[in-house]
């Protein structure tokens, strides 16, 4: 597959078995080195690797010149073999060099040294950055993962269907990108945050199993795992329960992992409540310990005022790091706990003689013994305890656990996790007194909790689920409401009248009057998955042309102003810049 009309092999293909063959290589000059008075070495590079070519010293080529080299493959003398290169046992001699194009000196080295160049510079010259081995590898890992995902979905009987890019606005979700209509001035399309509504309509349409590698857009603040534009595997299935969805999506994720060169472990399952109780977050990282340990009952009769009567008391053990944390660092942890809503943070350093802490004098020997035994404390450990409401205790300790113990996301082992049974509602809106949905309003309640909808809505679990890898949420999904009566109950709980529901969601709800099957689905971020599998902390490293964290593109200078004529055609006036 490497041979073309211009080359016989690629630059990383040559091995000792090619000795004596006349070959033609095409690529970029990586380096040029003088070798005596009459000869020079040039390393010719393409995406497969580098080959050393011996040329006449009169050949005038410089780094990044595009060349075509024809010569004879020759074994290197034993003392000159480069074991660091797959092609290091051979070189090409008797070379004839054709310069296909010259090049200006690049703004940064086309090598691993560019990893230390400012990101804005790398993105400004992204076409040069992509020439580097790291970026070539990342984009090819991504391509392999995409192909594996598609093959896995095809093998399970899913049908790939494209959905529209110009859709109605649904402002209840994340902030949208809106597109003005020239023909209907004053009206707007939105770019899709996800194909959510359309994929459910495809189930009504009898497609049964749908998927696509969907491009989605959200106008959210950017960070290491977020871009305005992202690709997700979007899927929906009819006549299924959660287990069916998990199995289908799990097969695609496992296929992608294998395509990236990893042998994945099984995907375990935790309920949302168990994840919060043990790890303090709803996307726990299972690669390290430091689990939250229940201490509430151990302090049921305590005389320590900070713990007395607390609804929830939990602790974590930071093993072997007591000496690392002086008073300034411990005060910093306490301040962070308070910023998150906790009343405070108790710390105890374990020594051979017991605990060292300002509060140890308020704790009985029995209470100290419970801390030691339950948290498995040995001398040198640091114990952190929070006493507060259950949610605050969990969230504060979960954050500290991640801050103090979590390794980089791409470091193995890769631990996959389904988190299930999320709350259907997440608190009460202070302005309206109505429950706030934890997901979109089409999420099916847990069948065992439907009778609590009107009486105890905050106790109702949902049939929603997340897929987590090493503490990164890859994606989420749910079993959907397909019964009009149940959908009406949810809308009424949220304060959405029939008229408002019809106005906002009529095009989506009306088809459900014609026989909607039970269905559920899922979507996961391909960018996030590939970044982890490629060993990257930032999804920008696995996207060919990403935006910076400020949302700009240094290469194209987007976003840019548009001509007044274009705005006139759309009936748009822009406000003057803020003073």
């Amino acid at each position: 597959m490497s041979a073309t009309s211009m080359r016989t092999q690629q630059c990383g293909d040559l091995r000792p078995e090619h000795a004596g063959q006349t070959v033609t290589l095409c690529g970029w000059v990586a380096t040029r080195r003088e070798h005596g008075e009459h000869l020079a070495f040039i390393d010719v590079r393409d995406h497969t690797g580098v080959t050393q070519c011996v040329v006449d010293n009169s050949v005038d080529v410089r780094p990044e010149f595009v060349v075509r080299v024809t010569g004879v493959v020759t074994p290197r003398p034993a003392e000159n073999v480069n074991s660091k290169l797959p092609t290091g046992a051979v070189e090409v001699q008797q070379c004839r060099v054709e310069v296909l194009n010259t090049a200006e000196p690049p703004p940064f080295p086309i090598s691993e040294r560019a990893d230390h160049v400012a990101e804005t510079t790398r993105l400004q010259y992204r076409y040069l950055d992509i020439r580097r081995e790291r970026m070539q590898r990342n984009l090819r890992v991504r391509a392999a993962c995409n192909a594996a995902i598609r093959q896995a979905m095809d093998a399970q009987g899913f049908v790939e269907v494209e959905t529209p890019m110009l859709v109605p606005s649904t402002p209840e979700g994340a902030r949208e990108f809106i597109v003005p209509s020239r023909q209907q001035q004053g009206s707007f399309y939105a770019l899709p945050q996800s194909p959510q509504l359309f994929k459910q309509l495809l189930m009504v349409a009898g497609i049964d199993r749908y998927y696509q590698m969907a491009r989605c857009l959200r106008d959210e603040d950017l960070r290491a795992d977020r871009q305005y534009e992202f690709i997700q595997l979007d899927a929906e299935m009819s006549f299924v329960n959660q287990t069916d969805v998990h199995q289908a999506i799990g097969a695609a994720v496992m296929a992608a992992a294998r395509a990236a060169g990893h042998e994945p472990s099984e995907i375990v399952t935790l309920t949302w409540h168990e994840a919060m109780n043990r790890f303090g977050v709803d996307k726990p990282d299972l690669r390290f310990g430091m689990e939250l340990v229940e201490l509430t009952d151990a302090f049921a009769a305590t005389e320590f005022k900070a713990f007395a009567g607390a609804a929830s008391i939990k602790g974590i053990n930071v093993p072997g790091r007591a000496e690392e944390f002086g008073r300034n660092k411990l005060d910093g942890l306490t301040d962070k706990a308070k910023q998150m809503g906790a009343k405070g943070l108790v710390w105890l350093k374990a020594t051979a003689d017991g605990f060292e802490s300002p509060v140890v004098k308020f704790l009985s020997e029995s209470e100290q013994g419970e801390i030691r035994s339950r948290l498995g404390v040995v001398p040198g450990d640091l114990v952190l305890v929070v006493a507060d409401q259950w949610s605050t205790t969990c969230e504060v300790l979960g954050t500290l656990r991640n801050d103090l113990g979590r390794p980089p996301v791409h470091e193995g082992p890769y631990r996959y996790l389904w988190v299930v049974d999320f709350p259907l509602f997440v608190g009460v809106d202070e302005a309206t007194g109505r429950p706030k949905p934890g997901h979109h309003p089409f999420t099916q309640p847990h069948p065992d909790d439907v009778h609590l909808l009107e009486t105890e809505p905050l106790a109702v679990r949902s049939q929603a689920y997340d897929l987590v890898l090493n503490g990164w949420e890859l994606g989420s999904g749910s079993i959907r409401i397909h019964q009009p009566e149940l959908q009406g109950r949810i809308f009424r709980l949220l304060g959405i009248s029939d008229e408002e529901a019809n106005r906002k969601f009529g095009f989506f709800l009306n088809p459900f009057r014609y026989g909607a099957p039970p269905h559920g689905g899922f979507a996961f971020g391909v960018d996030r998955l590939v970044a982890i599998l490629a060993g990257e902390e930032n999804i920008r490293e696995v996207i060919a042309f990403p935006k910076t964290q400020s949302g700009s593109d240094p290469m194209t200078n987007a976003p840019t102003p548009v001509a007044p004529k274009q705005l006139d055609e759309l009936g748009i006036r822009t406000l003057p810049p803020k003073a």
Side-chain angles (χ1 to χ4, degrees), residues 207-432:
I207 290 296
D208 191 69
R209 291 191 168 203
Y210 140 91
Y211 87 99
Q212 70 171 314
M213 301 293 273
R215 182 173 294 277
C216 305
L217 301 100
R218 294 177 186 172
D219 187 6
E220 298 179 310
D221 293 338
L222 305 188
R223 59 191 189 199
D225 63 347
R226 182 184 290 166
Q227 282 276 296
Y228 287 151
E229 304 173 64
F230 57 95
I231 301 296
Q232 66 182 32
L233 170 68
D234 196 62
E236 199 79 7
M237 308 166 64
S238 293
F239 306 108
V240 293
N241 62 17
Q242 292 188 54
T243 301
D244 298 317
V245 178
H246 295 176
Q247 289 174 346
I249 296 299
V253 172
M254 298 297 99
R258 293 187 185 98
H262 304 284
E263 188 54 43
S265 60
E266 67 172 324
I267 306 178
V268 301
T269 300
L270 291 176
T271 66
W272 173 85
H273 189 273
E274 185 179 4
M276 293 297 297
N277 220 29
R278 291 174 54 189
F279 303 99
V281 293
D282 59 10
K283 43 181 180 292
D285 190 333
L286 304 184
R287 292 173 297 166
F288 67 105
M290 293 174 55
E291 290 191 25
L292 281 59
V293 176
E294 183 59 54
L295 296 171
T296 309
D297 60 311
F299 291 93
T302 189
E303 295 181 3
F304 181 32
K305 291 183 179 180
F307 287 179
S312 175
I313 306 173
K314 293 179 182 289
I316 60 172
N317 182 2
V318 188
R321 296 180 64 183
E323 290 302 316
E324 179 185 331
F325 282 82
R327 193 55 187 258
N328 285 342
K329 282 190 175 181
L330 292 168
D331 288 346
L333 295 179
T334 302
D335 290 342
K336 182 161 189 175
K338 290 179 177 178
Q339 289 167 9
M340 296 184 65
K343 298 178 180 68
L345 176 71
V346 168
W347 57 265
L348 304 101
K349 292 184 176 183
T351 69
D353 299 323
F355 283 121
E356 174 190 324
S357 170
V359 307
V360 72
K361 60 187 175 184
F362 301 114
L363 305 180
S364 69
E365 287 296 328
S366 172
E367 290 167 345
Q368 293 179 48
E370 287 292 326
I371 292 175
R372 273 192 294 270
S373 62
R374 295 192 187 194
L375 278 80
V377 178
V378 298
D381 291 350
L382 173 66
V383 175
L384 303 175
V385 182
V386 173
D388 215 296
Q389 296 300 314
W390 178 81
S391 59
T392 301
T393 298
C394 291
E395 290 169 8
V396 170
L397 286 177
T399 298
L400 295 179
R401 173 183 180 268
N402 277 343
D403 290 348
L404 299 176
R406 187 181 178 197
V409 67
H410 62 270
E411 286 188 6
Y414 294 98
R415 298 294 303 276
Y416 297 86
L417 168 70
W418 285 110
V419 181
V420 302
D421 294 354
F422 279 79
L424 188 65
F425 301 106
V426 288
V428 175
D429 188 295
E430 293 182 1
T432 65

Side-chain angles (χ1 to χ4, degrees), residues 2 14 16 29 142 162 170 223 267 289 379 388 394 396 400 406 448 514 531 570:
S2 63
L14 299 184
V29 175
R142 182 182 185 122
E162 295 83 13
T170 53
R223 59 191 189 199
I267 306 178
D388 215 296
C394 291
V396 170
L400 295 179
R406 187 181 178 197
D448 295 342
Y514 297 93
L570 297 169

Side-chain angles (χ1 to χ4, degrees), residues 22-98:
T22 298
V23 298
T24 299
L25 307 177
C26 293
W28 288 263
V29 175
T31 59
R32 183 184 190 279
R33 306 180 304 281
E34 303 292 334
H35 183 61
E37 185 178 351
H38 302 293
L39 297 177
F41 293 136
I42 63 171
D43 290 337
V44 183
R45 180 197 72 238
D46 64 15
H47 73 88
T48 64
V50 174
T51 290
Q52 177 174 283
C53 301
V54 184
V55 302
D56 188 275
N57 202 14
S58 63
V59 174
D60 182 17
V61 291
R62 284 164 246 172
E64 301 313 308
F65 275 31
V66 185
V67 296
R68 184 183 185 208
V69 179
T70 300
V72 178
V73 180
T74 305
R76 295 193 196 187
E79 64 273 16
N80 293 336
V81 169
N82 185 347
S83 59
K84 296 180 180 179
L85 291 177
T87 60
V90 298
E91 62 188 13
V92 180
Q93 297 184 358
Q94 305 173 39
C95 291
R96 183 174 70 255
V97 179
E98 178 185 356

